[in-house]
Amino acid sequence: MDIINAPALQKVVEDTLQGGPPALRGYRPAVRACIRRLAAEHRSVKKARLRKSDPEWARAKAEAGHALYRFDEAEVAPLVRTIQRTLGWLGQVAELAGNRHLPLSREAGVFLRGLSHRRDDIMVLGLEARHLVQESEQAVLKADLYAKRLQPLREPAEIKAGDLIGRRCTTIDEIVQLGRRAQNCLSHRNEYWARFAAGESDFWVLQSGDRLAAILEVKCRTRCVAAAEGPDGATISLRDARGVALFCKAAGLEIGQRCEGVMLDFAAPFLVEPRVVEVEGRIMAYAEWPTAFRIDLGPEPGQRTSGHGPASTLALSFDPSRSVATAILEGQDLCRAVESFGREAIRKVVQTVALDQATPTLVQHRLLALAA
């Protein structure tokens, strides 16, 4: 690449390298060559037009049809920040390479020795260095957590609600075993173990007899359910949704918005018991409470799914005596949720369910109005 004012760019690079991490001292030639080469690809280096003050070699290059570039010295600060950030991560990689007892120490050494051959973007270099450091840190954390997996970190607790019994995990090992049983990421993702060990989250397993119904992650400070899933990471089944809501109410827990298919309104007695209907070859499930409903929409005929539950779930809570406008003003965008799920599907399942009733309920009237 022909950069007309290359000395200005090289001076910025050299000045920035002088303040680099001491750990990079043994890799200085490779780092310098790499950073100088990659800095030329930075956005501060732009295609240039000839100026009267440009040197003769630049004029000769231009006349020969070569593309010319110029370092925009007004963008020194962004370039310096990028180099400093990259050097910071490379310094941590060098520290990792210098400690043979740390995970990925050998890989860190290989990474640094290969710097002189890199031809990619400086941002990519920094991201890869950061990823290597973070991967090593996670391995250290995972080993530390695994070493104390049998240490009791919580007092045993048990709460019965409806036909479900909830038990709190007391050790990291119980969380791991629960993840294996449920076939989800609790078995191997150490960020969950770390939140548990730090006292940030509790993990509850809800069962009906020997059957696993749900797994809850509860934030200890706010007493809010941050995640609620059934086995295999599926949405909690409709038959267990009320039991989970009853458990949360008995335990004094709030249910976060990210918990699909379950809400505290489900703790009330059913207004319409869970029903399964078939509409145009699709299996749909419907249940209704005084101020809420849930619809599970099965796959279309021939559609392939993971086999872990409905193709989609819609669960909303609203007071039928209030207008849609009032609900929206209070932050509940019912129309958007209905549109996302599918208006036609909602109309069909509600109309099918209402055929067996003397008259549609207020919740069903509101649903039909929203789906019109």
Side-chain angles (χ1 to χ4, degrees):
M1 179 181 288
D2 295 313
I3 302 174
I4 297 173
N5 58 343
L9 175 63
Q10 292 168 8
K11 184 178 186 305
V12 172
V13 172
E14 289 300 324
D15 290 346
T16 310
L17 285 171
Q18 291 302 316
L24 287 174
R25 198 165 293 146
Y27 302 94
R28 189 72 67 184
V31 171
R32 175 181 284 107
C34 178
I35 296 296
R36 288 183 64 171
R37 184 169 56 251
L38 298 184
E41 303 290 340
H42 190 260
R43 69 173 188 270
S44 57
V45 179
K46 306 170 183 177
K47 279 193 173 183
R49 293 181 179 179
L50 279 175
R51 298 174 182 172
K52 290 182 179 180
S53 58
D54 287 338
E56 287 300 323
W57 69 263
R59 296 181 179 280
K61 289 278 188 179
E63 290 173 1
H66 293 280
L68 295 175
Y69 297 85
R70 193 185 310 276
F71 170 50
D72 185 353
E73 297 185 51
E75 293 193 26
V76 167
L79 174 60
V80 169
R81 284 196 298 270
T82 299
I83 295 175
Q84 288 175 336
R85 186 165 53 244
T86 303
L87 289 175
W89 285 112
L90 289 176
Q92 293 188 52
V93 173
E95 292 175 2
L96 175 59
N99 189 338
R100 296 182 179 179
H101 300 292
L102 290 176
L104 303 180
S105 175
R106 179 180 174 277
E107 288 80 354
V110 172
F111 181 89
L112 291 170
R113 289 192 294 273
L115 288 177
S116 57
H117 305 292
R118 295 189 70 109
R119 295 290 186 274
D120 48 11
D121 184 89
I122 192 169
M123 297 296 290
V124 173
L125 174 65
L127 289 172
E128 288 187 11
R130 182 177 69 177
H131 177 74
L132 184 59
V133 170
Q134 291 177 337
E135 194 175 357
S136 176
E137 290 173 345
Q138 288 297 313
V140 171
L141 174 62
K142 189 170 186 176
D144 178 61
L145 291 169
Y146 192 76
K148 59 182 180 182
R149 66 190 184 282
L150 300 177
Q151 178 183 342
L153 299 176
R154 299 289 191 280
E155 292 294 327
E158 182 175 297
I159 298 174
K160 188 176 188 307
D163 64 344
L164 296 183
I165 296 178
R167 294 185 177 88
R168 182 170 61 185
C169 292
T170 62
T171 66
I172 292 174
D173 189 64
E174 288 182 11
I175 296 174
V176 173
Q177 297 305 322
L178 177 59
R180 289 173 180 169
R181 179 185 174 192
Q183 298 183 20
N184 64 26
C185 50
L186 290 180
S187 64
H188 59 275
R189 295 280 291 275
N190 56 281
E191 59 262 39
Y192 297 107
W193 311 347
R195 291 201 292 268
F196 177 73
E200 297 175 7
S201 295
D202 280 341
F203 291 87
W204 289 81
V205 52
L206 276 58
Q207 297 187 162
S208 176
D210 293 331
R211 182 179 62 83
L212 176 61
I215 300 169
L216 309 183
E217 180 182 356
V218 178
K219 293 300 179 182
C220 296
R221 186 177 62 84
T222 61
R223 303 290 295 164
C224 180
V225 180
E229 293 182 348
D232 303 330
T235 302
I236 292 171
S237 68
L238 185 55
R239 69 170 173 170
D240 290 321
R242 183 166 185 262
V244 173
L246 285 169
F247 169 84
C248 292
K249 188 173 182 179
L253 304 176
E254 295 293 328
I255 298 179
Q257 294 182 349
R258 295 180 60 188
C259 300
E260 184 181 28
V262 62
M263 53 185 58
L264 283 177
D265 295 62
F266 291 0
F270 285 111
L271 196 62
V272 176
E273 294 276 348
R275 287 193 51 192
V276 176
V277 297
E278 183 176 348
V279 179
E280 296 181 357
R282 301 188 74 176
I283 301 299
M284 304 183 187
Y286 179 90
E288 185 181 319
W289 295 262
T291 60
F293 71 92
R294 172 170 157 172
I295 301 174
D296 288 350
L297 179 61
E300 295 180 3
Q303 178 184 350
R304 299 180 65 182
T305 66
S306 63
H308 297 324
S312 55
T313 295
L314 176 65
L316 289 177
S317 169
F318 58 78
D319 183 348
S321 66
R322 292 180 303 163
S323 67
V324 172
T326 301
I328 292 174
L329 287 173
E330 293 177 354
Q332 191 175 16
D333 196 343
L334 304 173
C335 295
R336 179 177 296 180
V338 167
E339 183 69 36
S340 177
F341 186 80
R343 296 177 182 274
E344 185 178 359
I346 292 173
R347 288 197 302 269
K348 287 179 178 179
V349 69
V350 173
Q351 289 166 354
T352 302
V353 170
L355 286 175
D356 296 333
Q357 302 169 184
T359 181
T361 65
L362 289 174
V363 171
Q364 291 166 6
H365 276 299
R366 171 58 59 84
L367 262 176
L368 290 172
L370 287 169

